[in-house]
Amino acid sequence: MTSVPALSTATGDAATTAEAFEAFDQAVRGHLAMEEEVLFPAFEEVTGMHGGGPTQVMRFEHTQMRGVLDQMAAALAAGDLDEVVELHPQTVGQVG
């Protein structure tokens, strides 16, 4: 697993925050892609649940998660580190 530097809003270190967010963003998006490309199709094949069921719900959650990641990236680009930190909890409970 990739080590992610801690966010540093106390010192206002935008470069460290950007580096940490980039690692976080890549890790989460990689996780979502692995589930969608490998795990979900395998689950659907074994269970016969195509086009519905838990994987459909999780795909929806993944779409929401990508939206939050996009919001975090926009906030970071605008220099709003507080917004990045406020949005982060939305990413924790949604990973499928």
Side-chain angles (χ1 to χ4, degrees):
M1 176 168 254
T2 305
S3 175
V4 178
L7 291 177
S8 180
T9 59
T11 62
D13 186 351
T16 299
T17 303
E19 181 182 328
F21 176 75
E22 181 65 28
F24 174 74
D25 185 67
Q26 287 180 4
V28 172
R29 288 181 193 267
H31 173 90
L32 301 178
M34 184 281 307
E35 285 190 344
E36 292 167 356
E37 296 167 12
V38 178
L39 181 63
F40 295 172
F43 176 85
E44 291 165 349
E45 184 64 30
V46 169
T47 64
M49 297 175 129
H50 299 279
T55 55
Q56 182 178 12
V57 172
M58 288 184 275
R59 282 185 177 97
F60 176 74
E61 291 172 344
H62 288 186
T63 299
Q64 291 178 314
M65 174 73 71
R66 286 183 185 96
V68 172
L69 292 171
D70 291 344
Q71 289 177 316
M72 291 173 77
L76 185 60
D80 190 349
L81 302 182
D82 290 334
E83 179 71 8
V84 174
V85 172
E86 287 176 25
L87 286 165
H88 177 263
Q90 294 181 42
T91 66
V92 176
Q94 292 185 23
V95 174

